């Protein structure tokens, strides 16, 4: 399984960009990289996923390193509602199996 | 459209008992995965079903089992419950089988074993 590491916590000011890093050095060439976020007492919420090239959606951007051993989730303008635990979750061995990292607690301050 | 529905939301069981958790995926989603979340181990993959077939299984003992029905609804069962099985059990569904789809998670079932 892919070994996934993330910082335990990060802080940001509101309206500023946030870059959340993730290392997944053992990912295979065909596994997608997913990101989810979770609020207390809720299930994880899908944020974004990609394979090789950078991806954008209305919530965030995903920058994937050329060797795919790391990725960065980018929140362009953090808001108080973005405070959550963010999980990097590479796929494993094809199909639908995710290996979740330990998550990064994002704190957003005014 | 309706999200992933998990029942029950909360459950208290005694050691040695068994428990069955239910998951109704988003309509049209054929893949259902189960995860266990604990403060110590984080989110860990249990198993995944696609079109009624178990395709992947995580590193959990045989006491943990599951199945998927023809309407894609899924159940997981834990027999001979142990205190360490106390956790949030999450179900997630996705349309296909390639990993190229985002997962939609339910709110989970909080299982407490006493």
């Amino acid at each position: 399984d892919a070994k996934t590491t993330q910082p335990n916590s990060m802080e940001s000011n509101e309206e500023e960009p946030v870059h959340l890093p993730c290392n997944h050095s053992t990912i295979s060439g065909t596994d997608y990289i997913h990101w989810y976020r979770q609020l207390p007492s809720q299930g994880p919420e899908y944020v974004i996923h990609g394979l090789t090239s950078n991806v954008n959606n209305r919530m965030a951007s995903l920058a994937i390193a050329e060797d795919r051993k790391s990725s960065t989730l980018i929140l362009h303008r953090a808001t108080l509602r973005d405070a959550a635990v963010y999980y990097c979750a590479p796929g494993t061995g094809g199909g639908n199996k995710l290996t979740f990292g330990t998550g990064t607690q994002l704190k957003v301050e005014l | 459209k309706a999200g992933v529905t998990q029942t029950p939301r909360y459950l208290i069981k005694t050691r040695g008992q068994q428990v069955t958790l239910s998951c109704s995926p988003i309509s049209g989603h054929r893949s259902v995965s189960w995860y266990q979340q604990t403060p110590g181990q984080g989110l860990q993959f249990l198993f995944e079903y696609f079109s009624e077939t178990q395709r992947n299984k995580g590193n959990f003992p045989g006491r943990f089992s599951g199945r998927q029905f023809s309407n894609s609804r899924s159940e997981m069962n834990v027999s001979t419950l142990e205190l360490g099985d106390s956790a949030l059990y999450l179900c997630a569904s996705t349309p296909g089988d390639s990993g190229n789809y985002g997962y939609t998670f339910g709110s989970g079932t909080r299982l407490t074993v006493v």
Side-chain angles (χ1 to χ4, degrees), chain A residues 1-4 23-29 31 68-69 90-92:
Chain A
D1 291 358
K3 180 173 172 57
T4 309
N23 288 316
H24 30 76
S25 57
T26 58
I27 193 172
S28 73
D31 289 326
R68 291 185 14 97
K69 295 183 185 300
T92 303

Side-chain angles (χ1 to χ4, degrees), chain B residues 16-85:
Chain B
Q17 288 186 314
Q18 74 162 13
V19 66
T20 299
L21 311 181
S22 180
C23 172
S24 293
I26 288 176
S27 178
H29 284 196
R30 297 167 64 191
S31 169
V32 174
S33 302
W34 288 88
Y35 291 82
Q36 182 196 64
Q37 186 173 29
T38 59
Q41 300 298 319
L43 278 153
Q44 293 187 288
F45 173 81
L46 281 159
F47 27 65
E48 183 238 350
Y49 288 87
F50 183 84
S51 294
E52 301 179 67
T53 300
Q54 185 184 91
R55 298 197 305 172
N56 285 295
K57 192 176 192 306
N59 295 323
F60 281 83
R63 300 185 295 107
F64 291 81
S65 64
R67 59 178 176 170
Q68 185 181 34
F69 302 96
S70 58
N71 62 357
S72 293
R73 189 177 70 85
S74 178
E75 289 181 347
M76 67 162 283
N77 183 276
V78 188
S79 63
T80 319
L81 284 165
E82 300 177 0
L83 294 179
D85 297 332

Side-chain angles (χ1 to χ4, degrees), chain A residues 32 34 36 38 44 49 96 98, chain B residues 31 35 37 96 99-101 103:
Chain A
Y32 285 83
H34 291 241
Y36 293 81
Q38 187 176 27
H49 76 287
N96 294 328
L98 300 178
Chain B
S31 169
Y35 291 82
Q37 186 173 29
N100 187 22
Y101 299 92
Y103 291 65

Side-chain angles (χ1 to χ4, degrees), chain A residues 66-87:
Chain A
E66 193 170 338
D67 63 6
R68 291 185 14 97
K69 295 183 185 300
S70 66
S71 61
T72 301
L73 178 70
I74 303 166
L75 305 180
H76 296 286
R77 293 178 64 189
T79 69
L80 296 177
R81 289 185 300 176
D82 291 324
V85 178
Y86 285 79
Y87 292 99

